[in-house]
């Protein structure tokens, strides 16, 4: 029996495993890097062991440190979670050699699937359909389009689509760098790219006594950068006959490697119904909650029980209903999926029925790695949480999930929340027609558009201004009961300016009459019903809307002070039924030290400069890549916003930069007369 278990991972998956351990009466041990010292997973375990450093290579990828942590904390078992060393056979073997229980498949099975190159050969011998493997050095025009893939790991890292031979060298080099950084193995290979295919996978569970379950399929076709963002079970594209064929192929794959424990066999499903083996994930999957909801199981509990030698029942329970999971990421889809870091000031999902477990009846589940106040850094994957809706039908699950996302309060970071909500209401998705190219087919101009339109942004700014005025009056040392900006005679309106989510400026001009009526420029007929520092109610064309306003003081002091002497909110978050809007309060007078030179190229996020592809004095064109940043385990290309000359270059390869740092300055080209164009 396992008495104390160490989770060799972080964030949401560590918290998920700890929840099951508490239910089973098993003690828990967390490990944490310096970047995760204040993380929720470290605080929730019975004991926590520091891994010095922040980079994965120095912490969560150090098997020797993880085993030492288990010994020092008195753990007798290790659960690898997913990512990091979860599919590393050498680590699994080292855990067992250290006398600890490995909560995972046999090292031999992990090893057999650890290389996608060798795994495909093994599956072909077992009769499982596979796509041909292509040597990157031997790809021809006739092979295109192709997909470059890392041989180790997963999660979309180390993957590139190539549609021309000219792109191939850079794609292979970039894939190798990402694979080395994320998994410690730079090996890559190529395979044909299936256009308009679907990504489906079969959940497996097997014990050491010969009993194995195939728990149906999940559809994971909605992806960005080859990483899943929406998963569901069952797949709307799979009928009973196809499900039987997929499950048989998955079982054959598991038997070929003597699989024990929880695992997933992934396939690409072509338009004509043919399917091809992708890989076996020899671990728990990020999307395991949809299968848990469907079958009423705790897969982590079953993993632990199998590791303790228990027998599975002869057959699993029958599935019920439909489940959809979305991955909430700290990233901006409209800005090329740029990761976002910083403080998560608020994280609230309405209507959650269960956390890290199946709801007692159909409902909403939340598995999160963050809480209010969590610092989200650049060292790890930007996933904040998974929100799962389980309902009697697919349509009901999508509706429940979209409502939860629309009402969520996620303050402090850019996220993909609005995109996920839009997908869940988009006709092609609701019709069950989404393929792996879905986001490109529909277009980010549609799907990444904010839920709050222009009118909602302007009303939210008005509500923010009224809430700010209410806060100033509440803090006033004298005459606090007077309306904001009150004068004996009508005078100039109150004016406030905010930076809008699209980078533009929203000007608010209003005054309150002697009777307290609102007169706001550009808002004819808008009525002020009530205002307090935290909430404002406005009547719009006879319909009342409530706006919840949260102000985050500017720690740098840039926002100045309000009339009451307190700090003005530099960041203002307004949530209403019209959508959530993030604003930045602009000071009345700009601080000269905050100004940057024209043509400055600013770091969009904290990260490490991987390489620089230009030099001072070089002529550059609009869109030309100047340097590459690595953040959140992905490479991000920084391009010139306009043509010109590199007047300043302030970074070099290997340097770490903060968000907003001036990386370079591009001087505009000059006319023949010597004046800038």
């Amino acid at each position: 029996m396992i008495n104390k278990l160490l989770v060799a991972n972080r964030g949401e998956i560590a918290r998920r495993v700890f929840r099951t351990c508490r239910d089973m009466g098993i003690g828990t041990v967390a490990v944490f890097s310096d970047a995760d010292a204040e993380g929720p997973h470290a605080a929730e375990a019975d004991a926590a062991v520091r891994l010095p450093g922040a980079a994965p290579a120095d912490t969560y990828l150090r098997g020797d440190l993880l085993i030492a942590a288990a010994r020092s904390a008195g753990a007798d078992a290790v659960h690898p979670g997913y990512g990091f060393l979860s599919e590393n056979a050498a680590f699994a073997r080292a855990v067992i050699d250290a006398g600890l229980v490995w909560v995972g498949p046999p090292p031999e099975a992990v090893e057999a699937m650890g290389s996608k190159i060798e795994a495909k050969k093994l599956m072909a011998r077992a009769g499982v359909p596979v796509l041909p493997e292509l040597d990157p050095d031997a790809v021809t025009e006739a092979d295109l389009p192709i997909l470059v893939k890392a041989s180790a790991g997963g999660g979309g890292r180390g993957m590139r689509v190539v549609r021309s031979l000219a792109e191939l060298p850079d794609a292979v080099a970039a894939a190798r760098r990402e694979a080395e950084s994320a998994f410690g193995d730079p090996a890559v290979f190529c395979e044909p790219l299936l256009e308009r295919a679907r990504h489906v996978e079969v959940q497996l569970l097997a014990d050491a006594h010969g009993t194995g379950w195939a728990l149906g399929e999940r559809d994971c076709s909605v992806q960005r950068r080859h990483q899943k963002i929406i998963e569901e079970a069952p797949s709307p594209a799979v009928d009973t006959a196809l499900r039987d064929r997929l499950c048989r192929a998955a079982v054959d794959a598991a038997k070929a490697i003597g699989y024990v424990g929880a695992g997933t066999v992934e396939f690409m499903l072509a338009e004509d119904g043919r399917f091809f083996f992708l890989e076996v994930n020899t671990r728990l999957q990020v999307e395991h909650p949809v299968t848990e909801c469907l079958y009423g199981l705790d897969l982590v509990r079953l993993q632990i029980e199998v590791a303790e030698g228990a027998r599975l029942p002869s057959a699993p329970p029958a599935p019920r209903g439909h489940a959809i999971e979305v991955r909430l990421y700290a990233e901006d889809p409209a800005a090329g999926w740029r990761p976002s870091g910083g403080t998560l000031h608020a994280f609230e999902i309405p209507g959650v029925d269960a956390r890290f477990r199946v709801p007692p009846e159909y409902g909403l589940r939340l598995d999160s790695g963050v809480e209010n106040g969590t610092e989200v850094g650049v060292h790890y994957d930007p996933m904040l949480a998974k929100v799962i809706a389980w309902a009697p039908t697919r349509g009901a699950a999508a509706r429940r999930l979209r409502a939860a996302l629309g009402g969520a309060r996620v303050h402090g970071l850019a996220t993909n929340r609005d995109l996920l909500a839009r997908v869940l209401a988009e006709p092609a998705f609701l019709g069950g027609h989404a393929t792996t190219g879905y986001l490109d087919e529909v277009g980010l101009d549609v799907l990444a558009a904010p839920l709050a339109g222009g009118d909602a942004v302007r009303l939210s700014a008005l509500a923010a201004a009224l809430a700010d005025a209410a806060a100033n009056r509440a803090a006033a040392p004298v005459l606090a009961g007077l309306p904001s900006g009150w004068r004996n005679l009508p005078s100039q309106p109150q004016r406030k300016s905010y930076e809008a989510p699209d980078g533009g400026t929203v000007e608010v001009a209003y005054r309150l009459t002697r009777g307290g009526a609102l007169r706001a420029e550009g808002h004819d007929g808008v009525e002020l019903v009530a205002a307090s520092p935290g909430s404002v109610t406005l009547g719009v064309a006879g319909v009342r809307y409530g706006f919840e306003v949260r102000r985050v003081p500017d720690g740098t002091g840039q926002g100045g002070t309000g009339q009451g002497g307190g700090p003005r909110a530099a960041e203002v978050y307004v949530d209403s039924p019209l959508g959530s809007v993030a604003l930045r309060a602009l000071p009345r007078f700009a601080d000269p030290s905050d100004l940057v030179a024209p043509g400055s190229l600013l770091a969009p996020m904290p990260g490490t400069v991987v390489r620089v592809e230009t030099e001072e004095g070089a002529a550059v064109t609009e869109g030309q890549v100047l340097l590459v940043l690595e953040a959140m385990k992905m490479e991000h290309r920084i391009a010139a916003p306009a043509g010109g000359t590199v007047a300043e270059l302030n970074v070099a390869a290997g340097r770490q930069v903060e968000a907003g740092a001036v990386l370079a300055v591009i001087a505009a080209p000059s006319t023949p007369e010597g004046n800038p164009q």
Side-chain angles (χ1 to χ4, degrees):
M1 297 290 287
I2 293 172
N3 294 306
K4 184 181 287 189
L5 183 144
L6 178 141
V7 178
N9 219 292
R10 63 179 297 279
E12 164 265 331
I13 183 55
R15 301 180 79 190
R16 165 70 187 89
V17 177
F18 293 159
R19 197 276 301 163
T20 289
C21 287
R22 287 192 293 272
D23 289 350
M24 298 178 71
I26 296 173
T28 56
V29 180
V31 288
F32 63 91
S33 69
D34 290 342
D36 281 335
E38 303 301 321
H41 84 276
E44 289 181 2
D46 297 328
V49 180
R50 175 181 175 238
L51 304 175
D58 300 326
T59 55
Y60 299 107
L61 290 173
R62 285 281 303 274
D64 56 334
L65 297 183
L66 296 168
I67 291 172
R71 284 174 165 159
S72 66
D76 54 0
V78 172
H79 191 298
Y82 42 69
F84 298 126
L85 295 177
S86 62
E87 295 180 280
N88 187 298
F91 178 57
R93 196 166 282 116
V95 169
I96 295 170
D97 290 345
L100 304 171
V101 176
W102 169 250
V103 184
E108 295 75 19
V110 178
E111 195 164 50
M113 295 294 103
S115 163
K116 293 184 178 69
I117 296 172
E118 296 305 316
K120 291 180 67 168
K121 295 175 181 177
L122 180 59
M123 290 300 109
R125 291 195 295 270
V128 179
V130 299
L131 287 168
E133 175 199 336
L134 304 172
D135 183 339
D137 296 326
V139 172
T140 68
E141 196 77 38
D143 297 319
L144 299 176
I146 62 169
L147 190 61
V148 181
K149 300 178 68 173
S151 182
R157 287 171 290 278
M159 297 180 70
R160 293 290 189 280
V161 172
V162 174
R163 298 186 181 276
S164 72
L165 290 180
E167 302 171 9
L168 185 59
D170 286 346
V172 170
R176 283 176 174 154
R177 285 192 301 269
E178 279 189 0
E180 173 71 28
S181 174
F183 316 118
D185 183 351
V188 300
F189 67 100
C190 302
E191 66 184 18
L193 176 68
L194 288 179
E195 305 275 20
R196 294 199 55 78
R198 302 182 79 117
H199 186 135
V200 296
E201 59 191 30
V202 176
Q203 174 70 58
L204 297 174
L205 190 68
D207 63 23
H209 308 285
T211 300
W213 293 350
L215 296 170
E217 84 288 344
R218 297 185 288 253
D219 194 309
C220 311
S221 298
V222 181
Q223 303 177 2
R224 61 97 168 98
R225 288 181 168 179
H226 311 290
Q227 190 172 45
K228 309 159 187 174
I229 60 172
I230 298 181
E231 303 102 345
E232 60 180 307
S235 168
V238 174
D239 58 21
T240 301
L242 178 56
R243 181 171 298 115
D244 290 343
R245 289 166 49 214
L246 284 166
C247 288
R248 282 199 303 271
V251 169
D252 289 344
K255 288 180 178 177
I257 57 175
Y259 203 84
V260 175
T264 301
V265 185
E266 301 196 350
F267 300 96
M268 291 301 289
L269 177 62
E271 283 188 285
D272 60 7
R274 293 179 301 148
F275 59 85
F276 302 93
F277 171 83
L278 274 180
E279 60 186 334
V280 176
N281 292 131
T282 54
R283 53 171 169 81
L284 198 66
Q285 292 277 87
V286 177
E287 57 272 24
H288 73 273
V290 294
T291 298
E292 290 188 324
C293 288
L294 216 62
Y295 286 85
L297 297 171
D298 182 337
L299 289 175
V300 174
R301 174 187 284 270
L302 292 168
Q303 276 187 300
I304 293 172
E305 290 175 346
V306 165
E308 291 177 325
R311 292 177 179 270
L312 292 173
S314 59
R320 186 164 64 100
H322 197 101
I324 305 176
E325 171 183 294
V326 297
R327 302 189 192 187
L328 189 63
Y329 282 104
E331 64 185 12
D332 186 351
W337 308 100
R338 185 175 66 206
S340 173
T343 303
L344 190 61
H345 300 302
F347 182 73
E348 302 164 9
I349 308 293
V352 170
D353 299 296
R355 294 175 181 267
F356 300 105
R357 67 174 75 240
V358 178
E361 192 44 68
Y362 294 123
L364 194 71
R365 168 175 171 172
L366 175 66
D367 288 19
S368 73
V370 297
E371 299 288 348
N372 291 347
T374 295
E375 287 288 332
V376 178
V378 300
H379 299 287
Y380 314 114
D381 186 276
M383 187 174 76
L384 302 175
K386 305 177 309 196
V387 190
I388 307 99
W390 175 41
T393 65
R394 184 172 185 267
R399 182 171 57 194
R400 176 72 188 273
L401 192 49
R402 185 180 190 279
L405 291 170
R409 297 180 182 178
V410 186
H411 299 166
L413 306 174
T415 73
N416 65 339
R417 183 269 306 274
D418 287 9
L419 175 133
L420 295 172
R422 286 197 178 277
V423 169
L424 292 167
E426 197 277 323
F429 176 82
L430 290 178
H433 307 307
T435 68
T436 54
Y438 169 80
L439 294 179
D440 291 332
E441 292 165 4
V442 178
L444 290 183
D445 57 331
V446 174
L447 296 176
L451 294 177
D455 289 343
V457 170
R458 288 187 290 274
L459 282 169
S460 296
L462 175 60
L466 293 168
D468 190 36
N472 289 336
R473 298 314 304 154
V478 295
L479 302 177
L482 287 180
S484 175
W486 187 86
R487 298 289 187 274
N488 282 327
L489 297 172
S491 182
Q492 296 296 316
Q494 299 277 78
R495 295 187 181 275
K496 297 183 186 295
S497 298
Y498 297 92
E499 181 182 321
D502 63 1
T505 299
V506 181
E507 302 283 352
V508 177
Y510 73 93
R511 67 182 180 88
L512 299 176
T513 68
R514 287 178 177 272
L518 175 68
R519 298 288 183 267
E521 294 180 5
H523 295 284
D524 294 342
V526 174
E527 174 192 5
L528 174 60
V529 179
S532 71
S535 65
V536 172
T537 302
L538 297 176
V540 183
V543 180
R544 290 187 177 184
Y545 296 99
F547 297 81
E548 297 297 319
V549 182
R550 183 171 299 186
R551 296 173 296 277
V552 178
D554 179 9
T556 66
Q558 290 179 218
T561 58
Q563 294 176 8
R568 173 171 294 177
E571 297 176 16
V572 185
Y573 301 95
V574 185
D575 296 286
S576 77
L578 303 177
S580 295
V581 177
L583 302 166
R584 179 171 290 275
L586 298 176
R588 294 182 62 188
F589 305 104
D591 186 334
S593 65
D594 295 333
L595 302 178
V596 296
S600 294
L601 189 62
L602 307 181
M605 72 204 83
T608 301
V609 178
V610 176
R611 65 184 186 278
V612 177
E613 299 184 359
T614 190
E615 59 185 3
E616 283 195 14
V620 297
T621 58
E622 182 178 350
Q624 179 180 334
V625 176
L626 304 184
L627 54 93
V628 178
L629 284 180
E630 182 182 66
M632 294 181 174
K633 299 197 286 185
M634 301 289 284
E635 289 190 355
H636 308 275
R637 298 185 172 196
I638 308 300
T645 302
V646 180
E648 292 181 24
L649 184 62
N650 302 324
V651 295
R655 178 176 167 182
Q656 290 190 327
V657 296
E658 294 299 320
V662 179
L663 305 173
V665 177
I666 309 300
S670 299
T671 64
E673 290 75 24
N675 297 318
Q677 292 180 343

